[in-house]
Amino acid sequence: MFGGDAALPFSRHSDVLHGPVPTDAVELERLVAELKRRGNAAFQQKVLQEAEVLYTRAIAVTEGSSLPNRHIFYANRSAARCAMGKADQALEDATVCVALDATYAKGLFRKAQALVQLERYKEALAVLDDAKALESSNKSVSALYVKVQALAEKQKEAPAVAPSKQVTTTRGNETRSAASAAPAASASTATSAADATVVEDDVEIVGHVRGYKKLADGRVTTFFNNELTEEAKQLIGDIAPKKVDDLHAVQIKSVDGGSAWNQGNTFEEKDMTTWAKAKLETLVSGVSAPLGPGGDGVVTSVKVSDLEGDASIAVVRGAKRYIFDFAFTLACTLTQGDNVVTGDLKFLDLSSDCGGDYDVEAVVASRYQSEGGKALHAALNSTASPFRQALAAQLAIFVQEYHTF
């Protein structure tokens, strides 16, 4: 399925990539969660091939299973493939994702990203319109929409490519046409081997011919020829290598937060999982907000359960990366007078690469049995509800405090 070990330049994921698919539902769920965690971590660290393979394995093992949210793996693999420049495959994955769940705004967002990479801007705008209809407050969708609008206008206004004219180069006794590259004999263009010249049908066309440019002094040369002007040389200064006599005088500035031993600022990682879990649980528990327009009552988050995942701060070549990837269930209530309705808000993917657009699922058992259940489900499911807005503010505090380390 994956081309064997020879196709993978890594073996640290062999425990989850190989072997039979678990038949036990609990074991399968654990495997899928681990594949997702590792895939997200690889994507965050820009190890894109690993991320692609891990997401592919997750898609394969969930084939025919009853596990929910399979569409998310297609969206994640689409993101990885888009980052790898595999726009066609990324578009295929995003299309499958949307087919599996047409209400998943991030799937539409991934599809639009792939279309943009393919320069199909008009189609991308139509897809983003659908995403905005689902989540009007999604900042990622809005930002991409503005960008694609500009690209579409630029594409519309782009002038037609000027027709190429023949440019003949002569070196020694050989004459070639830049347009056809066919051999030709011409006594008028013959010159010595040491004096290569460019002969044009139209001098003004040089700027439109690939591979050639005209210098300020009127000479025509290739674009690969880079001659510095005297002014440029003065600005650059003396860049010749210098001998270092005192090796101790050369110091590499360490990144703030990096270890003293890592003078090269190559790579190191600090585990922040314990702090992050405790901080998350504190911030998202006990959040209260009114039900919102059209209804009375207060929605409150009660407690966190099934909190899984990890967090770390990595220093990679002088740059800090704050990485986290968690999944948990947040028990919530809606209180309307003496009536209390319970439900869960499941965070399926709360990670540093989401940009605040986290994957959640609202679960309210009484959604179809009572008006209170229906109201609680709407409050948990809508990013525009007062409760979700209050919760988003708490998660923003988590990210802000995390970045103080």
Side-chain angles (χ1 to χ4, degrees):
M1 182 184 301
F2 304 105
D5 290 335
L8 301 176
F10 44 84
S11 59
R12 56 180 174 157
H13 301 302
S14 58
D15 58 322
V16 293
L17 290 178
H18 306 291
V21 178
T23 55
D24 180 73
V26 175
E27 289 300 318
L28 177 60
E29 190 171 354
R30 287 177 181 170
L31 172 61
V32 171
E34 182 64 13
L35 285 165
K36 180 182 179 182
R37 186 191 71 79
R38 295 193 194 186
N40 290 349
F43 182 83
Q44 178 66 26
Q45 295 169 18
K46 301 189 185 303
V47 189
L48 300 175
Q49 186 186 6
E50 284 191 21
E52 181 188 25
V53 171
L54 289 162
Y55 292 141
T56 299
R57 173 67 168 169
I59 290 170
V61 300
T62 54
E63 180 73 37
S65 73
S66 59
L67 290 178
N69 305 311
R70 189 164 180 262
H71 59 283
I72 293 175
F73 294 118
Y74 280 101
N76 290 354
R77 190 172 70 175
S78 175
R81 286 178 166 175
C82 205
M84 296 169 75
K86 300 179 178 180
D88 288 317
Q89 290 178 287
L91 179 58
E92 290 177 7
D93 280 344
T95 302
V96 173
C97 172
V98 174
L100 291 173
D101 187 351
T103 65
Y104 186 51
K106 185 175 281 189
L108 292 166
F109 178 73
R110 298 303 185 199
K111 184 175 182 178
Q113 284 183 313
L115 287 168
V116 170
Q117 199 169 101
L118 292 168
E119 298 184 4
R120 292 160 60 177
Y121 303 130
K122 187 175 180 180
E123 294 174 67
L125 287 173
V127 172
L128 289 170
D129 279 330
D130 293 338
K132 289 172 70 176
L134 291 172
E135 294 186 8
S136 58
S137 60
N138 190 309
K139 294 180 181 179
S140 299
V141 172
S142 299
L144 183 59
Y145 193 89
V146 173
K147 176 183 176 182
V148 178
Q149 276 186 317
L151 290 171
E153 286 299 319
K154 188 175 180 181
Q155 187 182 60
K156 188 187 301 182
E157 296 170 1
V161 178
S164 61
K165 292 192 178 182
Q166 187 180 33
V167 175
T168 306
T169 60
T170 305
R171 287 177 174 80
N173 295 324
E174 185 183 45
T175 302
R176 288 187 178 274
S177 166
S180 64
S186 174
S188 62
T189 58
T191 184
S192 66
D195 182 25
T197 62
V198 177
V199 180
E200 312 149 23
D201 290 343
D202 183 353
V203 175
E204 297 301 320
I205 203 64
V206 173
H208 299 289
V209 178
R210 294 180 62 185
Y212 294 90
K213 64 181 178 181
K214 181 181 288 186
L215 302 179
D217 58 5
R219 290 183 297 134
V220 176
T221 183
T222 68
F223 277 109
F224 298 102
N225 183 27
N226 185 22
E227 296 182 13
L228 294 177
T229 64
E230 290 301 322
E231 182 181 2
K233 291 177 182 178
Q234 291 177 4
L235 286 172
I236 294 173
D238 185 7
I239 58 174
K242 302 291 189 301
K243 181 181 178 181
V244 177
D245 295 320
D246 184 6
L247 297 179
H248 297 288
V250 180
Q251 295 292 330
I252 300 175
K253 184 178 179 181
S254 295
V255 176
D256 182 28
S259 301
W261 57 264
N262 188 12
Q263 287 292 299
N265 291 327
T266 51
F267 177 85
E268 61 178 299
E269 189 173 26
K270 180 180 180 181
D271 185 15
M272 297 294 294
T273 304
T274 302
W275 175 89
K277 283 186 173 181
K279 179 59 68 172
L280 264 178
E281 192 163 355
T282 300
L283 287 172
V284 301
S285 298
V287 177
S288 293
L291 182 59
D296 296 324
V298 176
V299 181
T300 305
S301 60
V302 181
K303 67 175 182 177
V304 174
S305 62
D306 301 325
L307 177 55
E308 297 180 352
D310 50 40
S312 62
I313 299 176
V315 177
V316 184
R317 297 195 177 279
K320 266 189 176 183
R321 293 180 183 172
Y322 295 84
I323 305 166
F324 62 88
D325 181 24
F326 291 105
F328 61 91
T329 299
L330 185 62
C332 302
T333 62
L334 169 61
T335 304
Q336 295 176 309
D338 295 331
N339 185 38
V340 178
V341 181
T342 61
D344 291 330
L345 183 62
K346 294 187 175 183
F347 280 81
L348 308 173
D349 182 16
L350 189 143
S351 59
S352 48
D353 67 326
C354 290
D357 182 22
Y358 306 123
D359 293 327
V360 300
E361 178 185 6
V363 180
V364 180
S366 59
R367 175 185 178 186
Y368 299 107
Q369 283 74 43
S370 68
E371 289 299 318
K374 181 179 179 181
L376 177 58
H377 184 273
L380 297 181
N381 195 53
S382 173
T383 57
S385 71
F387 175 73
R388 285 290 299 275
Q389 292 289 322
L391 200 58
Q394 293 298 96
L395 292 173
I397 292 174
F398 165 75
V399 174
Q400 184 179 5
E401 292 190 14
Y402 188 28
H403 280 70
T404 60
F405 287 93

